[in-house]
Amino acid sequence: MSEASPDIPSVVEAEFRLHDSSHPFVAVSEMKDCRFELAKLIPRGDGQYAEFFNVTGAEPSQIVEIESNYDEVSVCLLNGYESGGLFEFVVSEGCPAVHLAKRGALPREVAGADGRGRILVEIPAPHEPATVIEDFLDAHPNARLASKQETESLTPLFTSSGVSQVLQTKLTDRQREVLEAAFDAGYYDWPRTVTGEEVADQLGIASATFSEHIHSAERRLLAALFEGPPSDWPDDTD
């Protein structure tokens, strides 16, 4: 394990492997001979979370139909393309990535292929890595710790210039305003410190309008993670 600089808080990177058919990204990757890759995990309230997965190697209809096999999972196709698509899975705390995130670990890679799952997380201070790892393995007996190492900083999802470009070119002015207001208010803090209704009140708009704009903005940002012309992106209302 590498030594972090004494002046920089260390971050522990942990990789888990699991084989558990109760999780769609693992089981379906084997049933449909496809690959799942997590793009983003977002809290939705009431103990539910939205997981945005890019799925390759299967027809979109084959992925949507798996919803009937899982009582606590809903599936929505956001952007379909040949042999795959970007999907939103609404799940509960039973999901392994959600379990880790609620305990302070930041999921960086979540993937499923050939009936096996891989989860790579970063555990920053002040969370105790040994406790987070032990708690996860106790809750998921079919998982194992594949590796653990110290790093000096969290892995950014975008560079600063990349973030600015995405915000300016992929979002409408209204979507950007709502997204920034939600962020500044603490809507994306973990645990969340403000509700969507409270942000809507601050903006002077209805809760349904806030929900429409925030979800459209999130989907467009997620679409920026994937290659493809803008015409292939979700056609959201402004």
Side-chain angles (χ1 to χ4, degrees):
M1 178 163 49
S2 61
E3 292 187 1
S5 165
D7 298 324
I8 303 176
S10 64
V11 176
V12 169
E13 179 185 88
E15 179 184 350
F16 301 95
R17 300 294 177 95
L18 68 159
H19 189 182
D20 189 336
S21 61
S22 66
H23 306 306
F25 81 98
V26 176
V28 180
S29 71
E30 184 172 32
M31 289 191 298
K32 305 298 183 182
D33 192 22
C34 59
R35 179 176 178 82
F36 281 67
E37 291 183 281
L38 183 69
K40 187 67 175 176
L41 172 66
I42 298 174
R44 282 285 185 245
D46 297 327
Q48 293 188 318
Y49 300 79
E51 293 183 323
F52 296 89
F53 273 101
N54 186 40
V55 182
T56 54
E59 293 299 320
S61 59
Q62 293 181 306
I63 304 303
V64 174
E65 70 185 15
I66 70 172
E67 180 177 328
S68 60
N69 298 330
Y70 297 90
D71 294 335
E72 298 182 355
V73 176
S74 65
V75 185
C76 175
L77 173 65
L78 303 181
N79 183 22
Y81 44 83
E82 185 178 357
S83 297
L86 176 62
F87 297 83
E88 178 184 29
F89 288 74
V90 178
V91 300
S92 66
E93 189 178 355
C95 169
V98 169
H99 181 105
L100 285 161
K102 289 198 71 173
R103 286 150 182 82
L106 305 175
R108 290 309 181 201
E109 294 179 31
V110 179
D114 300 322
R116 298 190 178 279
R118 176 179 181 269
I119 301 177
L120 182 68
V121 299
E122 291 174 341
I123 309 172
H127 303 286
E128 176 53 52
T131 301
V132 173
I133 292 170
E134 181 180 358
D135 178 79
F136 178 76
L137 295 176
D138 286 344
H140 296 82
N142 290 320
R144 65 178 178 86
L145 179 65
S147 66
K148 183 179 75 169
Q149 63 178 352
E150 263 187 19
T151 61
E152 292 188 349
S153 61
L154 296 172
T155 304
L157 295 179
F158 289 105
T159 62
S160 297
S161 60
V163 171
S164 178
Q165 182 180 16
V166 168
L167 290 175
Q168 294 298 323
T169 62
K170 310 308 180 188
L171 303 183
T172 66
D173 291 342
R174 190 55 166 162
Q175 288 170 349
R176 189 163 55 251
E177 177 190 4
V178 171
L179 188 68
E180 290 177 353
F183 181 83
D184 290 340
Y187 182 76
Y188 289 105
D189 290 351
W190 201 297
R192 181 175 286 173
T193 58
V194 66
T195 66
E197 289 80 4
E198 291 170 331
V199 180
D201 286 343
Q202 293 176 17
L203 292 169
I205 59 177
S207 296
T209 303
F210 168 80
S211 180
E212 176 187 347
H213 285 311
I214 203 76
H215 290 175
S216 295
E218 290 168 355
R219 289 176 181 181
R220 291 193 175 202
L221 290 176
L222 287 164
L225 295 172
F226 304 98
E227 295 182 353
S231 59
D232 287 342
W233 295 355
D235 184 15
D236 297 314
T237 0
D238 292 342

